[in-house]
């Protein structure tokens, strides 16, 4: 009597929730005559290496931000994603990261708690991994999640723009479910900039003398070189590094 509508693969017997209608106490338990003739879906839009997440769109009940974009397939960077107002700065070398609940806009009018799941590709390898996961709950009638999204421990090794995925649903997901089908809610994929503001430290430079005309290969030893954009010697730029 939950009102869920399923498709069933007659060859395998596998059933998949594809939508919800009004609940019923009799008949077939799904009250199918109230089910819309068209079911709208929301898809993830990160690069294909991250996998595809699909939600049955329920914008009046459960959503991230003020809008949900109905789609027919997953298309990279094609969606309007508006659930996160701002990302805190993420720096190379960070070992933890938190997105405050106040930065996350949600709607939940389902009558029950919902779940917000998130993955961030901290190591920039083009996949969402189990160790890059965080979650929190969303209470009924809430406009922000019940708690922050806290990721720890993490490994941030390079600068650049990398994808983050957020999934709001009544379903129970795990850290391995970055790409799967959910019966309701919304999925949003956004890009997050990883920066380096740690000063480089040089412990040795060999050789430390050379001809004025340059052309000498130099070995520099130190730390915090990740994301370096230039190398200079006495104000003169190295030709390569």
């Amino acid at each position: 009597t939950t009102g869920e509508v399923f498709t069933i693969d007659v060859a395998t017997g596998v059933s998949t929730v594809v939508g919800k209608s009004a609940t019923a106490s009799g008949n077939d338990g799904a009250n199918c005559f109230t089910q819309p003739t068209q079911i709208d879906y929301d898809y993830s839009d990160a690069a294909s290496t991250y996998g595809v997440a699909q939600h049955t769109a329920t914008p009046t009940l459960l959503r991230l931000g003020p809008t949900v974009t109905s789609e027919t397939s997953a298309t990279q960077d094609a969606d309007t994603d508006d659930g996160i107002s701002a990302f805190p700065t993420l720096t190379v070398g960070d070992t933890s990261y938190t997105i405050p609940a106040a930065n996350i806009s949600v709607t939940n009018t389902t009558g029950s708690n919902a779940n917000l799941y998130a993955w961030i590709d901290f190591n920039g390898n083009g996949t969402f991994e189990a160790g890059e996961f965080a979650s929190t709950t969303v209470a009924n009638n809430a406009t922000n999640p019940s708690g922050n999204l806290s990721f720890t421990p993490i490994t941030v090794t390079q600068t650049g723009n990398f994808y983050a995925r957020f999934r709001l649903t009544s379903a129970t997901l795990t850290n391995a479910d970055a790409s799967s089908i959910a019966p309701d809610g919304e999925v949003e994929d956004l890009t997050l900039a990883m920066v380096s503001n740690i000063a480089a430290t040089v412990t040795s430079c060999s050789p430390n003398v050379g001809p004025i005309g340059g052309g000498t290969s130099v070995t520099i030893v130190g730390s915090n070189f990740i994301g370096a954009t230039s190398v200079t010697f006495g104000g003169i730029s190295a030709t390569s590094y």
Side-chain angles (χ1 to χ4, degrees):
T1 60
T2 62
E4 293 177 328
V5 179
F6 295 81
T7 60
I8 300 176
D9 187 327
V10 295
T12 63
V14 175
S15 61
T16 303
V17 177
V18 297
K20 285 189 175 182
S21 68
T23 57
S25 58
N27 192 15
D28 63 354
N31 205 10
C32 288
F33 63 84
T34 65
Q35 178 67 16
T37 56
Q38 177 179 334
I39 299 174
D40 293 326
Y41 297 102
D42 181 46
Y43 289 89
S44 55
D45 61 348
S48 60
T49 58
Y50 293 97
V52 175
Q54 174 188 313
H55 288 240
T56 300
T58 53
T60 61
L61 298 175
L62 201 57
R63 67 177 185 268
L64 285 158
T67 60
V68 179
T69 305
S70 296
E71 301 156 306
T72 58
S73 63
T75 303
Q76 185 172 345
D77 300 329
D79 209 345
T80 299
D81 293 326
D82 48 17
I84 311 299
S85 62
F87 284 111
T89 300
L90 179 62
T91 303
V92 170
D94 282 350
T95 57
S96 64
Y97 184 68
T98 298
I99 302 175
N103 292 17
I104 307 170
S105 172
V106 297
T107 295
N108 177 15
T109 58
T110 62
S112 303
N113 285 349
N115 306 297
L116 177 62
Y117 305 97
W119 293 260
I120 298 176
D121 183 16
F122 290 109
N123 62 11
N125 69 347
T127 62
F128 293 125
E129 300 171 357
E132 300 174 324
F133 169 81
S135 65
T136 186
T137 58
V138 176
N140 185 50
N141 291 325
T143 56
N144 301 105
S146 301
N148 302 330
L149 287 171
S150 298
F151 302 82
T152 185
I154 61 172
T155 301
V156 184
T157 59
Q158 56 186 307
T159 60
N161 293 317
F162 301 103
Y163 277 104
R165 175 165 294 172
F166 302 87
R167 304 189 68 180
L168 178 62
T169 178
S170 65
T172 300
L173 304 182
T174 71
N175 57 13
D177 292 325
S179 55
S180 62
I181 296 175
D184 54 16
E186 183 181 5
V187 55
E188 291 194 353
D189 288 349
L190 301 122
T191 54
L192 171 62
M194 302 185 193
V195 301
S196 176
N197 59 10
I198 303 174
T201 300
V202 176
T203 56
S204 67
C205 180
S206 178
N208 58 9
V209 294
I212 295 176
T216 302
S217 294
V218 178
T219 300
I220 301 174
V221 178
S223 59
N224 301 325
F225 292 165
I226 296 174
T229 58
S230 66
V231 176
T232 61
F233 298 92
I236 300 174
S237 296
T239 56
S240 62
Y241 58 92

